[in-house]
Amino acid sequence: MKITDAKVFVGGPGKNYVTLKIMTDQGVYGLGDATLNNRETLPAAYLTDYLIPSLIGMDPRRSEDIWQFFYRGAYFRRGPIAMAAIGAIDMALWDIKAKLAGMPLYQLLGGKSRDSALVYAHAAGADLEDLIASIEGYVAQGYKAVRVQCGVPGMPTASYATPDIKGGTAPFITDFSGIRPKTEIWDTEKYLRFMPAALAEIRARFGPELKILHDVHHRLLPREAAAFAREVEPLGLFWLEDPTPAEDQDALKLIRQHSTTPIAIGEVFNAIWDCNKLIENELIDFIRVAVTYAGGITHVRRIVDLAGQHHVRTGFHGAPSHSPISMAAQAHLNIWAPNFGIQEYLVLGTPACDALFPSDHHVTNGLQYISDAPGLGVDFNETEAARYQYQPGSHPVVRLEDGTLWNY
Ligand code: GCO
Ligand code: MG
């Protein structure tokens, strides 16, 4: 069996999804997602210029050897661009393998460990009242877990992932007005004075059952993060995410020494080597990698297994930039992983998105139910794809009030 061709598409409804389609001499094809938010043309070029020419002619069933070939063979290993490209190939090969077996992918991983997988939605408000209304909306839809982000009084701009005005909708992270980033202003002291009390009000308002998550988005220093985690400890958060940038894995020790608030980290990691110390030293509770830029199912499964040895559960990244293909790959891992925790899930199911990526994976009452179709269980409509093209966009950058550049 041989790979005969592979094509890359960039575009989608309001997103720049990078979709890989691998064709074989037996008519079976596989799909992968290489979307790297706001750098989409780069994994696309890495695939087209460097990987696909070697891929053609290979036996698609040898997914392990193909992964090793592209990872070890590159010499310059890792990094989000290369790992997103390798990840897309890997997803597509597992799609092919499961289609050949006539089974949904989760059966090849070891079968179902649960009937459905818990997901969380994103609630956001320009202020606390606005945020509470947003949470109420998700609770009314049956969500059991909600990430809560709130505008901070006195902060000169909106905070991370919050609307500019009351009643507004939180912007999708990407600003499509061009490549040049807008600036958000950040003030740690204002945030630290406001956010723990806001979380306490949310807990009091919604009671003990709601699973409350909060994303600090890398903005605090380790000592500040430790103090924050300790202060909110009585609120029983489901998790506190990215309290501090994780380039320094040792920084997480300080947080752990001062608090039992569960810590989630890893959406920007590309490899097991970014989180092995965090996991082995049991400094985190949830690992947030994504099958896209952490090298696909083959590599993420290794991270999940390492995590499982150390009481670390999964909480895969599911920002809106992930296409239904990687969300499907994660759905299969979620239904299998013995150490599954939660899945970030933002409503993908707009009519335009469903038309581009038909599937019957679905979320009801805050629970994700998996498709039993062979493979990943998601398709790609090339006629629909022809309607879209790449649109340049960017993340904001963050500065302190005096102009110092900070972590977005
Ligand atoms: C999350 C994330 C994202 C990122 C985005 C950047 O927890 O979902 O923090 O929303 O900001 O992926 O491109
Ligand atoms: Mg995050």
Side-chain angles (χ1 to χ4, degrees):
M1 186 173 183
K2 281 192 174 16
I3 293 170
T4 49
D5 199 6
K7 293 194 265 184
V8 181
F9 304 80
V10 183
K15 317 268 160 54
N16 290 314
Y17 295 133
V18 182
T19 304
L20 171 71
K21 181 169 182 178
I22 295 182
M23 274 70 73
T24 69
D25 58 1
Q26 299 197 6
V28 183
Y29 60 87
L31 298 169
D33 175 18
T35 311
L36 182 62
N37 201 24
N38 301 326
R39 294 291 184 270
E40 297 89 349
T41 56
L42 301 178
Y46 197 94
L47 280 163
T48 311
D49 296 349
Y50 300 102
L51 305 191
I52 290 174
S54 299
L55 191 64
I56 292 170
M58 286 180 171
D59 181 341
R61 295 167 301 185
R62 297 182 61 177
S63 50
E64 182 65 57
D65 185 64
I66 292 174
W67 195 95
Q68 301 293 336
F69 179 90
F70 287 127
Y71 181 82
R72 292 173 192 257
Y75 184 61
F76 298 104
R77 296 178 187 184
R78 301 158 57 181
I81 297 162
M83 293 304 268
I86 295 175
I89 291 177
D90 188 72
M91 270 177 249
L93 298 182
W94 278 99
D95 190 20
I96 291 170
K97 199 186 297 293
K99 283 174 177 165
L100 290 173
M103 290 180 190
L105 172 67
Y106 69 79
Q107 295 293 12
L108 304 188
L109 298 173
K112 285 190 182 181
S113 297
R114 56 196 57 78
D115 300 326
S116 62
L118 179 70
V119 306
Y120 72 90
H122 283 189
D127 63 16
L128 186 54
E129 195 192 12
D130 204 23
L131 170 58
I132 286 175
S134 168
I135 300 170
E136 277 167 351
Y138 286 110
V139 169
Q141 290 173 56
Y143 281 90
K144 295 150 184 51
V146 184
R147 183 187 88 163
V148 302
Q149 304 300 129
C150 196
V152 174
M155 201 84 95
T157 61
S159 251
Y160 161 71
T162 58
D164 290 326
I165 48 155
K166 243 174 125 83
T169 41
F172 168 54
I173 306 295
T174 301
D175 168 17
F176 284 112
S177 63
I179 287 293
R180 220 176 251 261
K182 291 214 168 99
T183 303
E184 277 180 10
I185 304 295
W186 175 254
D187 181 328
T188 297
E189 286 170 18
K190 288 191 178 77
Y191 172 79
L192 288 178
R193 277 197 301 271
F194 171 73
M195 203 61 217
L199 290 169
E201 269 195 62
I202 293 166
R203 172 58 79 210
R205 172 70 189 252
F206 291 92
E209 290 292 327
L210 183 69
K211 298 184 198 317
I212 301 171
L213 298 79
H214 178 63
D215 191 347
V216 182
H217 223 254
H218 326 270
R219 306 259 166 112
L220 298 178
L221 301 174
R223 188 198 56 76
E224 295 161 346
F228 187 107
R230 186 173 56 193
E231 192 175 348
V232 299
E233 197 177 287
L235 305 178
L237 295 187
F238 186 85
W239 81 31
L240 190 64
E241 177 182 345
D242 287 334
T244 196
E247 285 115 328
D248 176 8
Q249 295 191 44
D250 285 337
L252 272 293
K253 283 182 193 157
L254 192 71
I255 304 175
R256 211 39 150 194
Q257 281 157 5
H258 289 278
S259 162
T260 57
T261 293
I263 302 297
I265 214 158
E267 65 183 41
V268 298
F269 295 169
N270 320 127
I272 201 163
W273 309 110
D274 295 327
C275 54
N276 61 326
K277 284 207 277 172
L278 290 176
I279 294 172
E280 286 161 1
N281 295 323
E282 303 184 0
L283 298 176
I284 57 169
D285 300 278
F286 295 92
I287 182 71
R288 301 264 298 124
V289 287
V291 287
T292 38
Y293 23 83
I297 293 158
T298 295
H299 193 65
V300 165
R301 188 178 177 166
R302 296 208 160 105
I303 297 175
V304 172
D305 280 336
L306 177 68
Q309 307 307 308
H310 295 280
H311 322 287
V312 175
R313 291 186 283 158
T314 62
F316 297 136
H317 192 214
S321 49
H322 293 285
S323 92
I325 297 170
S326 53
M327 291 302 285
Q330 293 186 167
H332 287 278
L333 287 163
N334 292 337
I335 214 81
W336 153 75
N339 51 329
F340 167 75
I342 198 166
Q343 172 65 56
E344 180 178 31
Y345 182 87
L346 300 170
V347 182
L348 295 158
T350 62
C353 189
D354 289 345
L356 184 58
F357 298 103
S359 94
D360 50 62
H361 295 286
H362 65 281
V363 165
T364 312
N365 281 328
L367 298 172
Q368 180 176 50
Y369 293 90
I370 194 125
S371 161
D372 270 323
L376 290 173
V378 54
D379 211 346
F380 179 63
N381 183 326
E382 290 182 46
T383 317
E384 280 292 312
R387 296 173 44 196
Y388 302 107
Q389 58 183 22
Y390 170 70
Q391 271 182 279
S394 68
H395 289 104
V397 292
V398 173
R399 290 186 186 275
L400 305 183
E401 275 179 287
D402 71 358
T404 308
L405 201 87
W406 204 245
N407 308 312
Y408 176 69

